[in-house]
Amino acid sequence: MPRKLFFRLKDGFPRVKLCFCVLCVLTYLALIRVSGAKLWGLFVFFLCAAVYLYLPGRFWARVTGMEKVLPEFAVPLGVLLGTGFLAVLYCVSMRLGVLWLLRALPPVLGLLWLVLLRGAPQSPWKAARAVYADGGFLSRVTLWCVLSVLFALMVSVKNAHPAAAGEIVLTQDVMWNIGNANSFALGFPPQDIRFSMVRFSYHYLTELVFGALSIVSGIACYDIYVFYAGPLVLAALLCCLYALGICFYRGHRNKALLFTFAMFLFNCASLWTALTNGTGSFGNTNMMHLITNVNAQGTAAVFVSVFVILFTEMARRCFDVSWMYLTVFLGSFALVCFAKGPAAAIVVCSFAVTMLEPGIDRVGWSSGGFPGGLPCDFFFRDKHQCSFRIQDVGSFRTAPVAACMDGRQRSGRCGMHGAGSGFACILYAAFSISTVFKRAL
Protein backbone atom coordinates (compact mmCIF):
# COMPACT_ATOMS: atom_id res chain seq x y z
CA MET A 1 0.00 0.00 0.00
CA PRO A 2 2.70 2.63 0.84
CA ARG A 3 4.50 1.77 -2.40
CA LYS A 4 1.37 2.26 -4.50
CA LEU A 5 0.62 5.50 -2.68
CA PHE A 6 4.14 6.77 -3.36
CA PHE A 7 3.90 6.11 -7.10
CA ARG A 8 0.42 7.61 -7.16
CA LEU A 9 1.65 10.82 -5.56
CA LYS A 10 4.80 10.89 -7.68
CA ASP A 11 3.34 10.27 -11.12
CA GLY A 12 -0.30 11.24 -10.68
CA PHE A 13 -2.26 14.48 -10.37
CA PRO A 14 -0.13 16.56 -12.80
CA ARG A 15 -2.80 19.24 -13.24
CA VAL A 16 -3.40 19.47 -9.52
CA LYS A 17 0.33 19.89 -8.94
CA LEU A 18 0.58 22.58 -11.59
CA CYS A 19 -2.36 24.49 -10.13
CA PHE A 20 -0.90 24.17 -6.65
CA CYS A 21 2.49 25.43 -7.89
CA VAL A 22 0.84 28.43 -9.54
CA LEU A 23 -1.04 29.17 -6.31
CA CYS A 24 2.16 28.96 -4.26
CA VAL A 25 4.06 31.22 -6.67
CA LEU A 26 1.27 33.80 -6.59
CA THR A 27 1.23 33.62 -2.79
CA TYR A 28 4.99 34.16 -2.66
CA LEU A 29 4.78 37.11 -5.04
CA ALA A 30 1.93 38.64 -3.05
CA LEU A 31 3.81 38.27 0.24
CA ILE A 32 7.01 39.91 -0.98
CA ARG A 33 5.05 42.64 -2.79
CA VAL A 34 3.15 43.50 0.36
CA SER A 35 6.46 43.49 2.25
CA GLY A 36 7.89 46.15 -0.05
CA ALA A 37 9.66 44.22 -2.82
CA LYS A 38 9.43 44.98 -6.53
CA LEU A 39 8.37 42.10 -8.75
CA TRP A 40 10.48 43.44 -11.61
CA GLY A 41 13.50 43.20 -9.31
CA LEU A 42 12.81 39.49 -8.81
CA PHE A 43 12.95 38.91 -12.56
CA VAL A 44 16.16 40.94 -12.93
CA PHE A 45 17.80 39.10 -10.04
CA PHE A 46 17.05 35.63 -11.41
CA LEU A 47 18.17 36.73 -14.87
CA CYS A 48 21.48 38.02 -13.49
CA ALA A 49 21.94 34.83 -11.45
CA ALA A 50 21.57 32.80 -14.65
CA VAL A 51 23.79 35.03 -16.80
CA TYR A 52 26.53 35.77 -14.27
CA LEU A 53 26.60 32.53 -12.26
CA TYR A 54 24.98 29.47 -13.82
CA LEU A 55 25.79 29.89 -17.52
CA PRO A 56 29.50 30.66 -16.90
CA GLY A 57 29.58 27.63 -14.59
CA ARG A 58 28.26 25.42 -17.37
CA PHE A 59 30.88 26.91 -19.68
CA TRP A 60 33.70 25.99 -17.30
CA ALA A 61 32.21 22.54 -16.73
CA ARG A 62 32.34 21.96 -20.47
CA VAL A 63 35.79 23.49 -21.04
CA THR A 64 37.40 21.60 -18.17
CA GLY A 65 35.91 18.31 -19.35
CA MET A 66 34.02 17.72 -16.10
CA GLU A 67 30.69 17.74 -17.95
CA LYS A 68 31.96 14.92 -20.13
CA VAL A 69 33.22 12.91 -17.14
CA LEU A 70 30.00 13.41 -15.12
CA PRO A 71 27.28 14.23 -17.67
CA GLU A 72 24.44 13.33 -15.31
CA PHE A 73 25.67 15.93 -12.78
CA ALA A 74 26.02 18.89 -15.12
CA VAL A 75 23.68 21.11 -13.10
CA PRO A 76 25.55 20.73 -9.75
CA LEU A 77 28.83 21.28 -11.60
CA GLY A 78 27.43 24.45 -13.12
CA VAL A 79 26.42 25.74 -9.69
CA LEU A 80 29.80 24.84 -8.20
CA LEU A 81 32.05 26.26 -10.92
CA GLY A 82 29.82 29.28 -11.55
CA THR A 83 29.82 30.29 -7.89
CA GLY A 84 33.56 29.83 -7.54
CA PHE A 85 34.27 31.75 -10.75
CA LEU A 86 31.99 34.67 -9.80
CA ALA A 87 33.51 34.90 -6.31
CA VAL A 88 37.09 34.92 -7.60
CA LEU A 89 36.27 37.36 -10.39
CA TYR A 90 34.57 39.72 -7.94
CA CYS A 91 37.59 39.69 -5.61
CA VAL A 92 40.00 40.36 -8.48
CA SER A 93 37.82 43.10 -9.96
CA MET A 94 37.41 44.89 -6.64
CA ARG A 95 41.09 44.55 -5.78
CA LEU A 96 42.26 45.93 -9.14
CA GLY A 97 39.44 48.43 -9.50
CA VAL A 98 38.22 47.02 -12.83
CA LEU A 99 34.51 46.46 -12.28
CA TRP A 100 33.92 46.43 -16.03
CA LEU A 101 35.55 42.99 -16.03
CA LEU A 102 32.95 41.74 -13.54
CA ARG A 103 30.12 43.13 -15.64
CA ALA A 104 31.39 41.97 -19.03
CA LEU A 105 33.21 38.64 -18.71
CA PRO A 106 30.48 36.31 -17.30
CA PRO A 107 27.91 37.15 -20.02
CA VAL A 108 30.55 36.52 -22.68
CA LEU A 109 31.32 33.10 -21.23
CA GLY A 110 27.60 32.35 -21.02
CA LEU A 111 27.19 33.19 -24.69
CA LEU A 112 30.15 30.97 -25.55
CA TRP A 113 28.48 28.09 -23.73
CA LEU A 114 25.27 28.64 -25.67
CA VAL A 115 27.31 28.55 -28.88
CA LEU A 116 28.99 25.33 -27.79
CA LEU A 117 25.55 23.82 -27.20
CA ARG A 118 24.97 23.78 -30.94
CA GLY A 119 27.56 21.02 -31.25
CA ALA A 120 26.07 18.93 -28.44
CA PRO A 121 24.93 15.41 -29.41
CA GLN A 122 21.53 16.00 -27.77
CA SER A 123 19.42 19.10 -28.19
CA PRO A 124 18.91 21.03 -24.92
CA TRP A 125 15.20 21.18 -25.67
CA LYS A 126 15.03 17.39 -25.89
CA ALA A 127 16.95 17.13 -22.63
CA ALA A 128 14.52 19.57 -21.00
CA ARG A 129 11.52 17.60 -22.24
CA ALA A 130 13.07 14.39 -20.89
CA VAL A 131 13.48 16.01 -17.48
CA TYR A 132 9.90 17.25 -17.48
CA ALA A 133 8.64 13.80 -18.50
CA ASP A 134 10.03 12.41 -15.26
CA GLY A 135 7.20 12.35 -12.72
CA GLY A 136 9.57 13.34 -9.93
CA PHE A 137 10.38 16.68 -11.57
CA LEU A 138 6.94 18.13 -10.96
CA SER A 139 7.06 16.85 -7.39
CA ARG A 140 10.38 18.63 -6.81
CA VAL A 141 8.98 21.83 -8.31
CA THR A 142 6.01 21.55 -5.95
CA LEU A 143 8.34 21.19 -2.99
CA TRP A 144 10.33 24.23 -4.17
CA CYS A 145 7.16 26.32 -4.42
CA VAL A 146 6.10 25.35 -0.90
CA LEU A 147 9.57 26.14 0.49
CA SER A 148 9.53 29.52 -1.27
CA VAL A 149 6.24 30.40 0.42
CA LEU A 150 7.69 29.34 3.78
CA PHE A 151 10.73 31.54 3.14
CA ALA A 152 8.46 34.50 2.42
CA LEU A 153 6.49 33.89 5.62
CA MET A 154 9.54 33.29 7.84
CA VAL A 155 11.96 35.85 6.42
CA SER A 156 10.39 38.35 4.01
CA VAL A 157 7.35 39.25 6.09
CA LYS A 158 9.37 39.46 9.31
CA ASN A 159 11.89 41.81 7.70
CA ALA A 160 9.62 43.88 5.47
CA HIS A 161 10.62 47.34 4.31
CA PRO A 162 9.87 49.83 7.12
CA ALA A 163 8.18 52.05 4.53
CA ALA A 164 5.77 49.20 3.73
CA ALA A 165 5.30 47.85 7.26
CA GLY A 166 5.14 51.19 9.03
CA GLU A 167 6.96 49.92 12.12
CA ILE A 168 8.99 46.72 12.37
CA VAL A 169 11.85 45.24 14.38
CA LEU A 170 14.39 43.87 11.90
CA THR A 171 16.32 40.67 12.60
CA GLN A 172 19.87 41.38 13.77
CA ASP A 173 21.52 38.60 11.74
CA VAL A 174 19.78 39.72 8.57
CA MET A 175 21.01 43.29 8.99
CA TRP A 176 24.54 42.03 9.70
CA ASN A 177 24.54 39.91 6.55
CA ILE A 178 23.26 42.81 4.47
CA GLY A 179 25.97 45.08 5.86
CA ASN A 180 28.66 42.50 5.19
CA ALA A 181 27.48 42.10 1.59
CA ASN A 182 27.62 45.87 1.13
CA SER A 183 31.10 46.02 2.65
CA PHE A 184 32.47 44.09 -0.34
CA ALA A 185 31.18 46.84 -2.63
CA LEU A 186 33.03 49.47 -0.57
CA GLY A 187 36.42 47.84 -1.02
CA PHE A 188 38.44 44.66 -0.85
CA PRO A 189 39.42 43.14 1.50
CA PRO A 190 36.13 43.87 3.29
CA GLN A 191 35.79 45.23 6.79
CA ASP A 192 33.51 43.96 9.53
CA ILE A 193 30.67 46.45 9.82
CA ARG A 194 30.60 46.06 13.62
CA PHE A 195 34.15 47.34 14.17
CA SER A 196 36.29 50.03 12.60
CA MET A 197 39.40 48.91 10.69
CA VAL A 198 38.74 45.22 11.45
CA ARG A 199 38.85 42.88 8.46
CA PHE A 200 35.89 40.61 7.93
CA SER A 201 36.94 37.00 8.65
CA TYR A 202 33.61 35.19 9.04
CA HIS A 203 32.32 32.74 6.42
CA TYR A 204 31.25 35.09 3.67
CA LEU A 205 30.73 33.18 0.43
CA THR A 206 27.06 34.15 0.22
CA GLU A 207 27.81 37.77 1.07
CA LEU A 208 30.47 37.78 -1.64
CA VAL A 209 28.20 36.33 -4.32
CA PHE A 210 25.17 38.43 -3.43
CA GLY A 211 27.35 41.54 -3.30
CA ALA A 212 28.52 40.79 -6.83
CA LEU A 213 24.96 40.19 -8.04
CA SER A 214 23.90 43.43 -6.38
CA ILE A 215 26.52 45.36 -8.37
CA VAL A 216 25.68 43.84 -11.76
CA SER A 217 21.90 43.98 -11.26
CA GLY A 218 21.59 47.29 -9.45
CA ILE A 219 19.34 45.70 -6.81
CA ALA A 220 19.93 46.60 -3.17
CA CYS A 221 21.46 43.89 -0.99
CA TYR A 222 18.52 44.31 1.38
CA ASP A 223 16.04 43.22 -1.28
CA ILE A 224 18.29 40.37 -2.39
CA TYR A 225 18.65 38.89 1.08
CA VAL A 226 15.14 39.45 2.37
CA PHE A 227 13.04 38.81 -0.74
CA TYR A 228 14.87 37.18 -3.65
CA ALA A 229 17.71 35.00 -2.33
CA GLY A 230 15.59 32.30 -0.70
CA PRO A 231 13.99 30.77 -3.82
CA LEU A 232 17.32 30.87 -5.69
CA VAL A 233 19.31 29.07 -2.99
CA LEU A 234 16.48 26.61 -2.36
CA ALA A 235 16.32 25.77 -6.07
CA ALA A 236 20.07 25.09 -6.14
CA LEU A 237 19.77 23.03 -2.95
CA LEU A 238 16.96 20.86 -4.31
CA CYS A 239 18.87 20.23 -7.55
CA CYS A 240 22.04 19.26 -5.71
CA LEU A 241 20.24 17.09 -3.16
CA TYR A 242 18.42 15.23 -5.91
CA ALA A 243 21.71 14.76 -7.78
CA LEU A 244 23.27 13.46 -4.57
CA GLY A 245 20.44 10.95 -4.23
CA ILE A 246 20.95 9.87 -7.85
CA CYS A 247 24.66 9.40 -7.14
CA PHE A 248 24.19 7.59 -3.84
CA TYR A 249 21.48 5.23 -5.13
CA ARG A 250 23.10 4.69 -8.53
CA GLY A 251 20.42 6.32 -10.65
CA HIS A 252 17.40 5.11 -8.66
CA ARG A 253 15.14 8.12 -9.13
CA ASN A 254 12.44 7.08 -6.67
CA LYS A 255 14.91 6.75 -3.80
CA ALA A 256 16.56 10.01 -4.82
CA LEU A 257 13.19 11.76 -4.70
CA LEU A 258 12.43 10.33 -1.25
CA PHE A 259 15.87 11.42 -0.08
CA THR A 260 15.25 14.98 -1.25
CA PHE A 261 11.91 15.20 0.54
CA ALA A 262 13.34 13.53 3.64
CA MET A 263 15.95 16.27 4.00
CA PHE A 264 13.21 18.82 4.65
CA LEU A 265 10.31 16.84 6.10
CA PHE A 266 11.71 14.23 8.47
CA ASN A 267 14.28 16.35 10.34
CA CYS A 268 16.43 13.61 11.90
CA ALA A 269 13.64 11.06 12.45
CA SER A 270 11.35 13.62 14.09
CA LEU A 271 8.86 13.02 11.28
CA TRP A 272 5.81 15.29 11.42
CA THR A 273 6.65 16.78 14.86
CA ALA A 274 9.06 19.21 13.13
CA LEU A 275 6.37 20.60 10.86
CA THR A 276 4.79 22.72 13.60
CA ASN A 277 7.76 24.96 14.44
CA GLY A 278 10.72 23.62 12.43
CA THR A 279 12.35 22.06 15.50
CA GLY A 280 12.69 18.30 15.81
CA SER A 281 12.13 16.09 18.83
CA PHE A 282 15.83 16.25 19.66
CA GLY A 283 16.19 20.01 19.31
CA ASN A 284 17.36 19.71 15.71
CA THR A 285 16.61 22.79 13.62
CA ASN A 286 17.75 21.45 10.27
CA MET A 287 14.53 22.07 8.38
CA MET A 288 14.04 25.59 9.72
CA HIS A 289 17.62 26.67 9.06
CA LEU A 290 17.72 25.30 5.53
CA ILE A 291 14.75 27.53 4.71
CA THR A 292 15.58 30.67 6.68
CA ASN A 293 19.39 30.66 6.93
CA VAL A 294 20.13 30.43 3.22
CA ASN A 295 23.36 32.40 3.60
CA ALA A 296 24.99 29.68 5.72
CA GLN A 297 23.35 26.28 6.23
CA GLY A 298 21.49 26.35 2.93
CA THR A 299 24.53 27.35 0.88
CA ALA A 300 26.82 24.95 2.75
CA ALA A 301 24.43 22.05 2.09
CA VAL A 302 24.63 22.81 -1.64
CA PHE A 303 28.40 22.47 -1.78
CA VAL A 304 28.56 19.59 0.68
CA SER A 305 26.25 17.71 -1.69
CA VAL A 306 28.52 18.46 -4.66
CA PHE A 307 31.58 17.48 -2.60
CA VAL A 308 30.04 14.11 -1.73
CA ILE A 309 29.05 13.51 -5.37
CA LEU A 310 32.58 14.19 -6.59
CA PHE A 311 34.14 12.02 -3.89
CA THR A 312 31.77 9.11 -4.45
CA GLU A 313 32.29 9.13 -8.21
CA MET A 314 36.04 9.38 -7.73
CA ALA A 315 35.99 6.43 -5.34
CA ARG A 316 33.98 4.33 -7.79
CA ARG A 317 36.71 5.02 -10.33
CA CYS A 318 39.30 3.73 -7.84
CA PHE A 319 40.69 7.29 -7.67
CA ASP A 320 41.83 7.03 -11.28
CA VAL A 321 40.89 10.63 -12.09
CA SER A 322 42.62 13.55 -13.75
CA TRP A 323 44.22 16.49 -12.03
CA MET A 324 41.38 18.67 -13.24
CA TYR A 325 38.89 16.41 -11.45
CA LEU A 326 40.97 16.63 -8.28
CA THR A 327 41.17 20.41 -8.58
CA VAL A 328 37.38 20.71 -8.89
CA PHE A 329 36.99 18.30 -5.96
CA LEU A 330 39.21 20.42 -3.71
CA GLY A 331 37.49 23.54 -5.02
CA SER A 332 34.15 22.18 -3.82
CA PHE A 333 35.62 21.74 -0.37
CA ALA A 334 37.04 25.27 -0.44
CA LEU A 335 33.56 26.64 -1.15
CA VAL A 336 32.19 24.63 1.79
CA CYS A 337 34.84 26.33 3.96
CA PHE A 338 33.82 29.79 2.79
CA ALA A 339 30.10 29.01 2.99
CA LYS A 340 30.12 27.61 6.54
CA GLY A 341 33.34 26.92 8.42
CA PRO A 342 31.90 24.48 10.99
CA ALA A 343 30.31 22.47 8.17
CA ALA A 344 33.74 22.16 6.56
CA ALA A 345 35.20 20.93 9.84
CA ILE A 346 32.49 18.27 10.06
CA VAL A 347 33.23 17.27 6.47
CA VAL A 348 36.92 16.84 7.29
CA CYS A 349 36.14 14.64 10.31
CA SER A 350 33.62 12.46 8.45
CA PHE A 351 35.92 12.21 5.47
CA ALA A 352 38.82 11.04 7.65
CA VAL A 353 36.62 8.52 9.47
CA THR A 354 35.31 7.24 6.14
CA MET A 355 38.79 6.75 4.71
CA LEU A 356 40.36 5.31 7.84
CA GLU A 357 37.48 3.27 9.24
CA PRO A 358 38.71 0.12 10.99
CA GLY A 359 37.97 -2.98 9.02
CA ILE A 360 37.65 -0.94 5.88
CA ASP A 361 39.30 -3.67 3.82
CA ARG A 362 36.53 -6.19 4.51
CA VAL A 363 34.04 -4.47 2.21
CA GLY A 364 34.19 -2.83 -1.23
CA TRP A 365 34.36 0.51 -3.00
CA SER A 366 32.26 -0.81 -5.84
CA SER A 367 28.95 0.43 -4.48
CA GLY A 368 30.32 3.72 -3.24
CA GLY A 369 28.81 5.77 -0.45
CA PHE A 370 29.76 8.40 2.07
CA PRO A 371 28.51 7.87 5.65
CA GLY A 372 28.79 11.51 6.66
CA GLY A 373 26.17 13.55 8.44
CA LEU A 374 23.63 13.61 5.60
CA PRO A 375 20.30 11.80 5.99
CA CYS A 376 20.95 9.33 3.18
CA ASP A 377 22.91 7.17 5.62
CA PHE A 378 20.17 7.41 8.24
CA PHE A 379 17.00 6.89 6.22
CA PHE A 380 18.07 4.61 3.41
CA ARG A 381 21.15 2.84 4.70
CA ASP A 382 21.90 -0.38 2.89
CA LYS A 383 24.77 -2.72 3.64
CA HIS A 384 25.50 -3.07 -0.06
CA GLN A 385 25.65 0.69 -0.64
CA CYS A 386 28.04 1.77 2.13
CA SER A 387 30.96 -0.49 1.33
CA PHE A 388 34.60 0.18 0.65
CA ARG A 389 37.10 -1.94 -1.24
CA ILE A 390 39.63 -1.25 -3.93
CA GLN A 391 38.73 -3.68 -6.68
CA ASP A 392 41.46 -2.81 -9.18
CA VAL A 393 44.67 -2.28 -7.24
CA GLY A 394 46.67 -1.90 -10.44
CA SER A 395 44.65 1.02 -11.72
CA PHE A 396 44.68 2.52 -8.23
CA ARG A 397 48.47 2.44 -8.08
CA THR A 398 48.86 3.96 -11.53
CA ALA A 399 46.34 6.75 -10.92
CA PRO A 400 48.16 10.11 -10.68
CA VAL A 401 46.34 11.09 -7.49
CA ALA A 402 47.19 7.85 -5.67
CA ALA A 403 50.76 7.88 -6.95
CA CYS A 404 51.25 11.38 -5.62
CA MET A 405 49.71 10.66 -2.24
CA ASP A 406 51.40 7.37 -1.49
CA GLY A 407 53.71 6.21 -4.22
CA ARG A 408 55.80 4.10 -1.88
CA GLN A 409 53.01 1.73 -0.90
CA ARG A 410 52.86 -1.56 -2.81
CA SER A 411 49.96 -3.46 -1.33
CA GLY A 412 46.29 -2.74 -1.90
CA ARG A 413 45.57 -2.27 1.77
CA CYS A 414 48.51 0.03 2.42
CA GLY A 415 47.78 1.97 -0.72
CA MET A 416 44.19 2.46 0.32
CA HIS A 417 45.06 3.65 3.81
CA GLY A 418 47.79 5.84 2.40
CA ALA A 419 45.29 7.35 0.02
CA GLY A 420 42.89 7.95 2.88
CA SER A 421 45.59 9.62 4.96
CA GLY A 422 46.67 11.69 1.99
CA PHE A 423 43.17 12.88 1.19
CA ALA A 424 42.43 13.64 4.84
CA CYS A 425 45.65 15.68 5.06
CA ILE A 426 44.82 17.53 1.84
CA LEU A 427 41.36 18.46 3.12
CA TYR A 428 42.71 19.49 6.53
CA ALA A 429 45.36 21.63 4.83
CA ALA A 430 42.71 23.21 2.57
CA PHE A 431 40.52 23.92 5.59
CA SER A 432 43.43 25.52 7.47
CA ILE A 433 44.57 27.53 4.45
CA SER A 434 41.07 28.85 3.80
CA THR A 435 40.75 29.88 7.45
CA VAL A 436 44.08 31.68 7.38
CA PHE A 437 43.20 33.25 4.03
CA LYS A 438 39.94 34.66 5.34
CA ARG A 439 41.73 36.14 8.35
CA ALA A 440 44.62 37.50 6.32
CA LEU A 441 42.56 39.31 3.71
Side-chain angles (χ1 to χ4, degrees):
M1 182 63 182
R3 185 181 180 87
K4 292 183 179 179
L5 179 61
F6 167 76
F7 284 108
R8 181 63 174 167
L9 293 175
K10 172 180 172 290
D11 300 321
F13 313 107
R15 294 183 179 179
V16 175
K17 291 178 182 177
L18 284 174
C19 293
F20 184 73
C21 289
V22 172
L23 178 62
C24 289
V25 170
L26 293 177
T27 302
Y28 164 76
L29 295 176
L31 289 173
I32 64 172
R33 185 67 186 91
V34 171
S35 301
K38 297 179 179 179
L39 301 184
W40 174 251
L42 176 66
F43 172 77
V44 173
F45 174 72
F46 270 81
L47 179 63
C48 289
V51 172
Y52 285 87
L53 193 152
Y54 181 70
L55 294 183
R58 293 297 299 269
F59 170 80
W60 289 116
R62 191 175 183 86
V63 170
T64 58
M66 291 299 297
E67 191 173 286
K68 185 176 181 180
V69 177
L70 301 173
E72 63 274 26
F73 304 116
V75 174
L77 288 173
V79 174
L80 170 70
L81 297 176
T83 303
F85 171 71
L86 182 61
V88 172
L89 182 62
Y90 184 37
C91 294
V92 173
S93 301
M94 290 300 300
R95 188 67 173 177
L96 301 180
V98 286
L99 285 180
W100 63 266
L101 187 65
L102 174 66
R103 293 188 173 98
L105 185 57
V108 171
L109 298 182
L111 288 175
L112 288 176
W113 178 73
L114 293 176
V115 172
L116 292 175
L117 273 182
R118 299 185 64 180
Q122 184 181 13
S123 169
W125 301 110
K126 291 183 179 180
R129 284 196 296 267
V131 172
Y132 180 77
D134 180 21
F137 173 76
L138 198 54
S139 299
R140 298 196 303 274
V141 172
T142 304
L143 176 61
W144 174 74
C145 293
V146 172
L147 295 177
S148 298
V149 173
L150 292 177
F151 172 83
L153 291 172
M154 301 171 72
V155 178
S156 301
V157 174
K158 289 185 177 180
N159 298 277
H161 275 300
E167 182 178 353
I168 193 170
V169 179
L170 300 174
T171 306
Q172 179 181 355
D173 285 347
V174 171
M175 296 304 299
W176 186 46
N177 294 326
I178 294 170
N180 291 332
N182 284 319
S183 68
F184 282 93
L186 300 176
F188 191 86
Q191 295 186 10
D192 196 320
I193 62 171
R194 300 171 299 178
F195 309 101
S196 176
M197 303 303 294
V198 176
R199 290 178 177 177
F200 185 44
S201 60
Y202 200 57
H203 49 257
Y204 51 68
L205 177 64
T206 312
E207 286 84 349
L208 190 67
V209 173
F210 289 163
L213 292 177
S214 175
I215 289 178
V216 298
S217 66
I219 302 174
C221 288
Y222 189 101
D223 292 346
I224 290 177
Y225 262 99
V226 174
F227 304 123
Y228 309 144
L232 179 67
V233 176
L234 288 170
L237 179 57
L238 288 175
C239 290
C240 292
L241 285 175
Y242 184 74
L244 176 60
I246 292 292
C247 173
F248 189 81
Y249 295 112
R250 289 185 169 276
H252 200 298
R253 298 183 180 275
N254 294 332
K255 291 183 179 179
L257 182 64
L258 280 174
F259 164 71
T260 305
F261 274 78
M263 188 72 174
F264 292 95
L265 300 181
F266 292 161
N267 209 36
C268 292
S270 296
L271 301 180
W272 57 85
T273 59
L275 298 179
T276 56
N277 57 5
T279 302
S281 301
F282 310 102
N284 183 282
T285 57
N286 178 64
M287 183 179 70
M288 180 176 64
H289 277 95
L290 287 177
I291 299 173
T292 61
N293 198 357
V294 295
N295 67 298
Q297 277 89 335
T299 310
V302 170
F303 298 112
V304 168
S305 300
V306 181
F307 173 86
V308 176
I309 291 172
L310 292 173
F311 171 76
T312 305
E313 293 298 324
M314 180 168 54
R316 287 171 179 168
R317 290 166 170 78
C318 297
F319 299 100
D320 188 7
V321 296
S322 64
W323 288 110
M324 183 59 67
Y325 192 111
L326 179 61
T327 302
V328 174
F329 171 69
L330 294 178
S332 67
F333 178 74
L335 290 185
V336 175
C337 294
F338 281 91
K340 186 70 174 177
I346 295 173
V347 167
V348 170
C349 295
S350 17
F351 186 89
V353 170
T354 300
M355 297 298 292
L356 305 175
E357 182 182 358
I360 199 172
D361 54 338
R362 290 179 293 182
V363 285
W365 275 116
S366 57
S367 297
F370 188 85
L374 294 174
C376 48
D377 182 56
F378 184 87
F379 285 101
F380 308 111
R381 187 175 182 88
D382 188 284
K383 65 180 180 179
H384 299 297
Q385 289 182 329
C386 293
S387 56
F388 301 86
R389 175 171 55 85
I390 301 300
Q391 287 199 332
D392 188 353
V393 178
S395 64
F396 174 77
R397 285 206 200 104
T398 57
V401 177
C404 174
M405 290 187 299
D406 197 6
R408 296 173 298 174
Q409 303 294 346
R410 300 302 179 190
S411 67
R413 180 180 180 186
C414 292
M416 177 201 59
H417 284 281
S421 302
F423 267 118
C425 290
I426 288 174
L427 289 186
Y428 179 76
F431 176 69
S432 302
I433 291 172
S434 65
T435 304
V436 173
F437 176 73
K438 286 191 293 184
R439 295 184 179 275
L441 287 177

